[in-house]
Amino acid sequence: MNIAMIGGGSIGLLFGYYLSEVHNVNFYVRTHEQAEKIMNSGLFLQKGKKMEHIQAKANALPEWSGDEDLTIVAVKQYHLPEVVNLLKSNAPEYSGSFLFLQNGMGHLKWINQLKADNVYVGSVEHGAYRTDANIVRQTGLGRTKLALFKGSSLSAAMEMAKPLTQFPFSFEDDYYEMLLNKLVVNSVVNPLTAILRIPNGELLANPFYHSFMKDYFSEISACLDLKNKEKSFANVEEVCKKTAENRSSMLKDIEENRQTEIDAILGFVLEKAKENKKDAPLTAGFYQLIKGKEYKGGEE
Amino acid sequence: MNIAMIGGGSIGLLFGYYLSEVHNVNFYVRTHEQAEKIMNSGLFLQKGKKMEHIQAKANALPEWSGDEDLTIVAVKQYHLPEVVNLLKSNAPEYSGSFLFLQNGMGHLKWINQLKADNVYVGSVEHGAYRTDANIVRQTGLGRTKLALFKGSSLSAAMEMAKPLTQFPFSFEDDYYEMLLNKLVVNSVVNPLTAILRIPNGELLANPFYHSFMKDYFSEISACLDLKNKEKSFANVEEVCKKTAENRSSMLKDIEENRQTEIDAILGFVLEKAKENKKDAPLTAGFYQLIKGKEYKGGEE
C-alpha cells in the first residue's frame, strides 16, 4: 500500500517507521533539512537500549499531491489549518483516504471541509519522543484507536493496520465518543500536570490533587455534557495509573518552551461550555495559566 | 520599656533586633538550642553586605509569665492556638498589652479569648529571612501598621514604636479593614505565585496571568464582601509592582518544604464564602493545590 505521512514530529516518525516495514511510505515534512536528513540517513527507532534503522523517502510538504492511497496527517492541531488548506488546494478531490491523528476535537471542523473517499480519525495511545530530525524514541507501547469520520468504508484503514502485528490498532464504531474519551483525559491530566509539574501518577497519589481533580473533572464533564460521568472519571484515573511515571506531553512542552495543545484541548471544552451555557471557572482558569506559561516560554 | 518577644522566626528576630536597640527585650523561643544561641552569641541583622550585632536575652517559651509591659507574638498562625493556651495559662489576667503580628484573620477568634489591658494587631510589610537561629537578613524595608483590637489605649504600642526612627510604624483606626487589605493581597499573590513559581511582578507582566488574577480577585472580593473592589484590586497591583522581583513567602515555603500559611489566608476566605453563601471554585481549588504542594513537600 502507498502511504503519505504528513508530519515529521514524534508521532509522524513513530507511525512512519512501523508503516515503512510493510508499506511504501512517503514522508512530507515541513523543512527541506528534515526531508534531506531522512532521505540520506533513513529513520531510527529507539526502544529502550535498542536502536533500529530503516530507509525512508521524504519530500517537502508542498509536494504532496494526493498520489498515495492513504494520507496520514500527524501534525499538531495548531498547524492543521495551514495543512488542510494545502491538501484542499493540491488535491481538491482526493481519490484516496485521509487519517487524522490530532489530539482534541477542535480539528473536526477543519477536516470536515475535505473531499476524499474516506476520512478517518485516530486516537493515539503511544508514548514517543523525537530526539533528532530522523530519530524517534518509543517511550510506551499502547495502541491506536481508529474510526470512520466521513465516507463509507474502513477498508483502507484496515489494509494499513492489518500487517502491523507489533504496532496494534483497534476499530471503534463512534468517532465522537472515541475522541471525546481522549479529550476528557487530556483536559484533566495535561493542564494539571503541566501547572503542578508532576508526573501523572501524582494526581492519584496526592490526596489533595486527587480531590481537586474530582472537582475539575466534574466541571469539564458538565461542559461536555458527558453521558456516563462515573465511567469517564474511572477512565481518567485508569490512565493516570497506567502512566504514573510519565510526564504528560503538555508538561514536556512547557518544560521545553514549546507551544502546547491547550487550544485543541481546553479551547474546545470552553467552546462547548459556551454552547451548553455552563460556567467553567476552573477550565477557563487553567486555560489562562497554560497560556501564561507559554507566554513566559517556560522560564521560572 | 520591657518587651517580651514570643517567636524566633524571621519576623520575631527582625522586630526583636530593632526593639533591642532602644528597649529591654526578652525573647521567648520554641527550642532551648535557639535560646542558648541568642544568649551566648547575641543577634545578627544583615542588611545588604552589612552585618550588625546586638546582645539579647532569651528564654524558652514556657517561661513567659507576663512580667513585661508589652508582649509581641510573632509566631506563625498555625502555631498560635498552642501559644494562646500558654499565654492564658501562665498569665490569666495580663496587666500588660499584647501585639499580634500574624498574617490573615483566622487568628482573631483565638486572641479574642485573652484578658489583657490592650490587645493590638499588626500588619507587617517588611521582607525578612532567617538564615540561622540568631541571624536575620532584612530583604526589604517597609513599615508596620498597628491598630487596637481590644482595650482602650494605643499608648503601649506608641511607647514601643516612637523611639524606632529607622523602623517605621503607622497607626490605623480600623483593625478589620487593615487586616482585610493585607489578607486580600496575600490571598491573591501568595497562592498564585507559589503554584506558578514566579516572582510577584510576573502577575502584572504576563497578560494571561494578569487576566486570571482579575477573575480570581473578583471571586475573592465577593467571598469577603469587599466594599471598594476597584481600590482593593489597585492595591494588589501596587504591591505586585513594588515587590516585582520578590518571591512570595508562600513560594519560598513551598520551595523549602515548609508548611505554608494557606489556612490563615485562603482558609479564612473559604470560611467567609460559606458564611456569605458564595461560590468559590478558584479559591477552593488553589487551597487544594497548595495543600497538595505541602503534602508533596515541594518535591517535583
Side-chain angles (χ1 to χ4, degrees):
Chain A
M1 187 179 199
N2 290 317
I3 297 177
M5 170 58 75
I6 296 186
S10 58
I11 295 300
L13 295 186
L14 182 73
F15 276 69
Y17 189 96
Y18 279 102
L19 291 168
S20 296
E21 292 181 338
V22 290
H23 297 294
N24 178 33
V25 177
N26 289 322
F27 281 88
Y28 294 89
V29 296
R30 183 164 298 271
T31 66
H32 284 284
E33 290 72 27
Q34 189 179 15
E36 270 173 37
K37 197 154 189 177
I38 293 173
M39 285 297 279
N40 294 338
S41 315
L43 273 184
F44 294 88
L45 173 68
Q46 195 184 346
K47 291 197 266 189
K49 291 181 180 170
K50 213 172 73 181
M51 183 79 99
E52 298 178 6
H53 178 257
I54 202 163
Q55 288 302 325
K57 280 169 288 182
N59 314 276
L61 186 51
E63 292 171 47
W64 181 87
S65 55
D67 297 330
E68 295 87 355
D69 312 311
L70 174 70
T71 294
I72 301 177
V73 182
V75 302
K76 295 279 189 188
Q77 199 244 19
Y78 45 79
H79 285 136
L80 200 58
E82 185 190 332
V83 170
V84 166
N85 280 336
L86 186 139
L87 300 177
K88 282 197 293 190
S89 116
N90 288 14
E93 309 257 347
Y94 177 40
S95 62
S97 301
F98 283 116
L99 165 57
F100 287 88
L101 295 178
Q102 285 66 36
N103 271 323
M105 301 179 76
H107 58 302
L108 298 180
K109 59 180 177 286
W110 296 314
I111 67 178
N112 199 28
Q113 305 166 359
L114 292 168
K115 285 183 183 152
D117 272 14
N118 298 290
V119 180
Y120 311 117
V121 287
S123 164
V124 178
E125 293 171 1
H126 295 285
Y129 188 74
R130 199 185 83 170
T131 57
D132 199 349
N134 62 340
I135 307 177
V136 62
R137 183 151 50 88
Q138 186 166 4
T139 55
L141 179 70
R143 62 173 171 157
T144 305
K145 292 178 180 167
L146 297 178
L148 189 64
F149 172 66
K150 259 173 60 170
S152 55
S153 162
L154 279 169
S155 61
M158 285 177 167
E159 193 185 337
M160 168 205 71
K162 210 173 172 193
L164 290 172
T165 47
Q166 303 300 308
F167 194 68
F169 288 88
S170 69
F171 291 86
E172 306 290 322
D173 294 331
D174 183 337
Y175 79 86
Y176 192 86
E177 203 184 296
M178 177 188 87
L179 291 181
L180 194 64
N181 281 334
K182 180 90 187 284
L183 177 76
V184 169
V185 173
N186 283 337
S187 297
V188 174
V189 177
N190 273 348
L192 263 179
T193 53
I195 290 298
L196 296 170
R197 307 203 165 199
I198 52 172
N200 299 348
E202 277 301 307
L203 292 176
L204 302 181
N206 185 311
F208 299 100
Y209 295 161
H210 190 237
S211 162
F212 178 79
M213 179 168 81
K214 276 185 199 164
D215 294 341
Y216 178 53
F217 168 83
S218 165
E219 180 182 297
I220 286 171
S221 68
C223 295
L224 297 174
D225 204 11
L226 294 188
K227 296 293 167 264
N228 192 333
K229 295 185 169 56
E230 289 72 26
K231 194 179 154 196
S232 183
F233 189 66
N235 182 46
V236 173
E237 291 189 309
E238 184 64 24
V239 171
C240 290
K241 204 171 153 187
K242 273 191 189 160
T243 61
E245 307 291 320
N246 291 11
R247 298 173 88 75
S248 73
S249 59
M250 194 170 283
L251 172 53
K252 283 191 217 145
D253 286 340
I254 291 290
E255 286 176 333
E256 290 163 28
N257 294 350
R258 289 190 303 255
Q259 189 176 356
T260 72
E261 294 192 285
I262 193 69
D263 280 298
I265 297 171
L266 291 193
F268 183 82
V269 177
L270 291 172
E271 275 177 33
K272 286 285 156 189
K274 214 170 165 183
E275 267 177 54
N276 294 330
K277 298 194 170 54
K278 301 282 184 188
D279 268 350
L282 297 174
T283 312
F286 271 91
Y287 180 84
Q288 292 286 4
L289 298 183
I290 294 289
K291 284 281 180 185
K293 284 285 172 202
E294 284 184 344
Y295 179 82
K296 275 278 293 170
E299 297 159 60
E300 296 230 303
Chain B
M1 186 180 199
N2 290 317
I3 297 176
M5 171 58 76
I6 296 185
S10 58
I11 295 300
L13 296 187
L14 181 73
F15 276 69
Y17 189 97
Y18 279 102
L19 291 168
S20 294
E21 292 182 336
V22 289
H23 297 293
N24 179 34
V25 179
N26 290 322
F27 281 88
Y28 295 88
V29 296
R30 185 164 297 271
T31 66
H32 283 284
E33 290 71 25
Q34 188 180 13
E36 270 174 38
K37 197 154 189 177
I38 293 172
M39 285 296 280
N40 294 338
S41 315
L43 273 185
F44 293 89
L45 173 67
Q46 195 185 345
K47 290 197 265 190
K49 290 179 179 170
K50 212 172 73 183
M51 183 78 100
E52 299 178 5
H53 178 257
I54 203 163
Q55 288 302 327
K57 281 170 286 182
N59 314 277
L61 185 51
E63 291 172 47
W64 180 88
S65 53
D67 297 330
E68 295 86 357
D69 312 310
L70 174 69
T71 295
I72 302 177
V73 181
V75 301
K76 294 278 188 189
Q77 198 241 22
Y78 44 80
H79 285 136
L80 200 60
E82 186 190 332
V83 170
V84 166
N85 279 337
L86 185 138
L87 299 176
K88 283 197 292 189
S89 115
N90 289 14
E93 309 255 348
Y94 177 38
S95 62
S97 300
F98 283 117
L99 165 58
F100 288 88
L101 295 177
Q102 285 65 37
N103 271 323
M105 300 178 77
H107 59 300
L108 299 179
K109 59 181 178 286
W110 296 314
I111 68 178
N112 200 26
Q113 303 166 3
L114 291 168
K115 287 186 182 148
D117 272 13
N118 298 290
V119 180
Y120 311 115
V121 287
S123 165
V124 179
E125 293 171 3
H126 294 284
Y129 188 74
R130 199 184 83 171
T131 57
D132 198 349
N134 61 340
I135 307 178
V136 63
R137 182 151 51 85
Q138 188 167 1
T139 55
L141 179 71
R143 62 176 171 155
T144 305
K145 292 177 180 167
L146 297 179
L148 189 63
F149 173 66
K150 258 173 62 170
S152 53
S153 162
L154 278 169
S155 60
M158 286 177 167
E159 193 184 338
M160 167 205 73
K162 210 174 172 193
L164 291 172
T165 48
Q166 302 301 308
F167 195 68
F169 287 88
S170 69
F171 291 86
E172 306 289 321
D173 293 331
D174 185 336
Y175 80 87
Y176 192 85
E177 203 183 297
M178 177 188 86
L179 293 180
L180 195 63
N181 281 334
K182 180 89 186 285
L183 177 76
V184 170
V185 173
N186 283 337
S187 297
V188 174
V189 178
N190 273 347
L192 263 179
T193 53
I195 291 297
L196 295 170
R197 305 199 169 205
I198 52 172
N200 299 349
E202 278 300 307
L203 293 176
L204 302 181
N206 184 310
F208 299 99
Y209 294 161
H210 191 236
S211 162
F212 178 79
M213 180 168 80
K214 276 185 200 164
D215 294 341
Y216 178 53
F217 168 82
S218 164
E219 181 181 297
I220 285 172
S221 67
C223 294
L224 295 174
D225 204 10
L226 294 188
K227 296 295 168 263
N228 191 334
K229 294 184 170 56
E230 288 73 25
K231 193 179 154 196
S232 184
F233 189 65
N235 181 47
V236 173
E237 290 188 310
E238 184 62 25
V239 171
C240 289
K241 204 171 150 186
K242 272 192 190 161
T243 62
E245 306 291 317
N246 290 11
R247 299 174 86 74
S248 73
S249 60
M250 196 172 282
L251 172 52
K252 283 191 217 146
D253 287 341
I254 292 290
E255 286 177 333
E256 290 162 29
N257 295 348
R258 290 191 302 257
Q259 189 175 355
T260 73
E261 294 192 283
I262 193 68
D263 279 298
I265 297 171
L266 292 192
F268 183 81
V269 177
L270 290 172
E271 274 177 33
K272 286 285 156 188
K274 214 171 165 183
E275 267 177 54
N276 294 331
K277 296 192 172 54
K278 302 281 183 189
D279 268 349
L282 298 173
T283 312
F286 271 91
Y287 180 84
Q288 291 287 2
L289 296 183
I290 294 289
K291 285 279 180 185
K293 284 286 171 202
E294 284 183 344
Y295 179 82
K296 276 279 291 170
E299 297 159 60
E300 296 229 304

